[in-house]
Amino acid sequence: GAGVSQSPSNKVTEKGKDVELRCDPISGHTALYWYRQRLGQGLEFLIYFQGNSAPDKSGLPSDRFSAERTGESVSTLTIQRTQQEDSAVYLCASSLVSSGIAKNIQYFGAGTRLSVL
Amino acid sequence: AQSVTQLGSHVSVSEGALVLLRCNYSSSVPPYLFWYVQYPNQGLQLLLKYTSAATLVKGINGFEAEFKKSETSFHLTKPSAHMSDAAEYFCAVSEDYGGSQGNLIFGKGTKLSVKP
């Protein structure tokens, strides 16, 4: 596609429910990132996928958070047993290659705004 | 660990005035530095990037930033603000220079308001 696509754009859920967020990266981009943006805060890195390598999960805040990506395509971020503090905008980004400056030029989706009641 | 500090969570300027958004970073190796802009309900858009070539970097929409190693700064400027510049601006540094990782470390953002 022309850009990074995320769905849904907004999600309202009840505390304790599971949610699944989807990211379609730019076609051909090997690297995919998930970030969380809480109100009034910068972006926090969550997880990174690069091709078929094992993902870097060092930013995931708890074991309630998980993400999958099949090859170089769609990724899903799952939050189990949601808590109110999970309310945030979840942003996905993709980049073209894994080395040099190009790896750092990340293209972002519009995000999914998650509200946990 | 690398970090980014943006001074001023909110900056207000008049249309036509100079825009100056401050960013300081900490890094033990030469960094890659970025400025992104976020318009309401949109994702982040890359404004400009520093890649260890020229210290003065020109970006889109008339913005530029100067890398000053001695001050560990990468402030964003624009000579004349336009109403359409009203948005939130994020400074970011690359965490792993030259490695396989590339996630960005972001500052908390500065919201720019432009008064008519």
Side-chain angles (χ1 to χ4, degrees), chain A residues 10-27:
Chain A
N10 284 282
K11 176 71 177 179
V12 180
T13 191
E14 294 179 351
K15 178 181 173 181
K17 300 281 190 182
D18 297 352
V19 295
E20 195 171 274
L21 313 180
R22 177 186 169 104
C23 173
D24 280 276
I26 294 172
S27 179

Side-chain angles (χ1 to χ4, degrees), chain A residues 34-36 44-47 56-61 77 90:
Chain A
W34 282 98
Y35 294 87
R36 178 171 69 176
E44 305 169 71
F45 165 72
L46 295 178
I47 189 168
D56 179 345
K57 305 178 182 180
S58 61
L60 295 179
L77 176 69
Y90 289 83

Side-chain angles (χ1 to χ4, degrees), chain B residues 2-61:
Chain B
Q2 298 184 334
S3 66
V4 175
T5 302
Q6 290 185 242
L7 297 176
S9 59
H10 196 172
V11 170
S12 181
V13 301
S14 297
E15 191 173 21
L18 171 72
V19 176
L20 171 60
L21 305 182
R22 299 178 186 275
C23 173
N24 289 86
Y25 68 92
S26 68
S27 174
S28 58
V29 297
Y32 292 146
L33 293 161
F34 306 81
W35 276 99
Y36 280 85
V37 60
Q38 186 177 34
Y39 297 101
N41 300 315
Q42 295 186 28
L44 277 71
Q45 179 182 359
L46 181 67
L47 270 180
L48 50 80
K49 62 186 184 294
Y50 168 72
T51 64
S52 75
T55 56
L56 182 62
V57 181
K58 294 187 184 299
I60 62 172
N61 302 338

Side-chain angles (χ1 to χ4, degrees), chain A:
Chain A
V4 178
S5 177
Q6 291 188 246
S7 61
S9 56
N10 284 282
K11 176 71 177 179
V12 180
T13 191
E14 294 179 351
K15 178 181 173 181
K17 300 281 190 182
D18 297 352
V19 295
E20 195 171 274
L21 313 180
R22 177 186 169 104
C23 173
D24 280 276
I26 294 172
S27 179
H29 279 196
T30 59
L32 186 147
Y33 305 81
W34 282 98
Y35 294 87
R36 178 171 69 176
Q37 185 179 24
R38 290 174 163 169
L39 188 65
Q41 302 292 316
L43 280 73
E44 305 169 71
F45 165 72
L46 295 178
I47 189 168
Y48 161 72
F49 294 92
Q50 169 56 45
N52 294 317
S53 301
D56 179 345
K57 305 178 182 180
S58 61
L60 295 179
S62 78
D63 59 8
R64 297 186 295 105
F65 287 72
S66 62
E68 292 184 351
R69 186 186 189 197
T70 303
E72 297 179 358
S73 61
V74 171
S75 175
T76 55
L77 176 69
T78 302
I79 308 173
Q80 296 177 308
R81 305 181 302 282
T82 52
Q83 304 294 312
Q84 288 184 332
E85 62 262 28
D86 299 334
S87 296
V89 176
Y90 289 83
L91 288 161
C92 176
S94 69
S95 65
L96 183 59
V97 295
S98 62
S99 62
I101 181 59
K103 76 180 179 190
N104 302 95
I105 300 176
Q106 297 178 22
Y107 297 85
F108 283 80
T112 294
R113 184 176 299 275
L114 175 65
S115 300
V116 182
L117 305 179

Side-chain angles (χ1 to χ4, degrees), chain B residues 63-103:
Chain B
F63 283 92
E64 61 183 36
E66 186 173 7
F67 172 69
K68 292 188 177 180
K69 183 178 179 180
S70 60
E71 298 178 7
T72 60
S73 69
F74 191 57
H75 302 330
L76 181 71
T77 60
K78 181 173 180 177
S80 177
H82 191 272
M83 297 295 291
S84 61
D85 294 327
E88 190 154 20
Y89 293 79
F90 292 92
C91 182
V93 63
S94 173
E95 181 173 58
D96 188 4
Y97 178 82
S100 60
Q101 177 56 292
N103 63 282

